[in-house]
Amino acid sequence: MIIRFILFALLAYIIYKLVFVLILPIIRATHKIRRQFSDMQQHMQDQASNHPQNGHTSQPPPVQEQKKAARAGDYIDFEEVK
């Protein structure tokens, strides 16, 4: 009778440790990782929808293009120096 009680208590302890030390933390970590992954995907989709899809990045145009746009009507005569 006492041996049955000890075996039952030992089995209950092993099941308790298995569930609360091994299985539950794995489930929590899995849910956390999945949530972070979906948040990251949502963030990337939000960024993609906010930026134009014409192949340009958010970088400013090169300096030469800015100067050409600013001085479209100006003419500067250059002389070649030898």
Side-chain angles (χ1 to χ4, degrees):
M1 188 77 156
I2 291 185
I3 294 176
R4 248 189 213 182
F5 178 74
I6 292 173
L7 287 176
F8 180 72
L10 186 61
L11 182 64
Y13 178 75
I14 291 171
I15 291 173
Y16 171 81
K17 281 293 191 180
L18 183 69
V19 168
F20 288 102
V21 174
L22 183 66
I23 296 173
L24 199 60
I26 290 173
I27 291 172
R28 286 181 180 166
T30 303
H31 284 292
K32 184 178 179 182
I33 290 171
R34 284 184 182 170
R35 184 172 9 107
Q36 287 177 344
F37 187 71
S38 69
D39 289 346
M40 184 174 26
Q41 280 183 331
Q42 183 64 38
H43 181 70
M44 294 295 284
Q45 287 175 354
D46 290 344
Q47 280 186 336
S49 66
N50 289 339
H51 293 295
Q53 295 295 327
N54 58 6
H56 293 292
T57 61
S58 61
Q59 297 174 355
V63 175
Q64 292 176 348
E65 290 180 14
Q66 287 177 352
K67 287 182 181 178
K68 285 182 183 179
R71 298 181 179 205
D74 293 345
Y75 176 76
I76 300 174
D77 189 21
F78 289 100
E79 293 183 16
E80 195 172 313
V81 178
K82 292 185 181 182

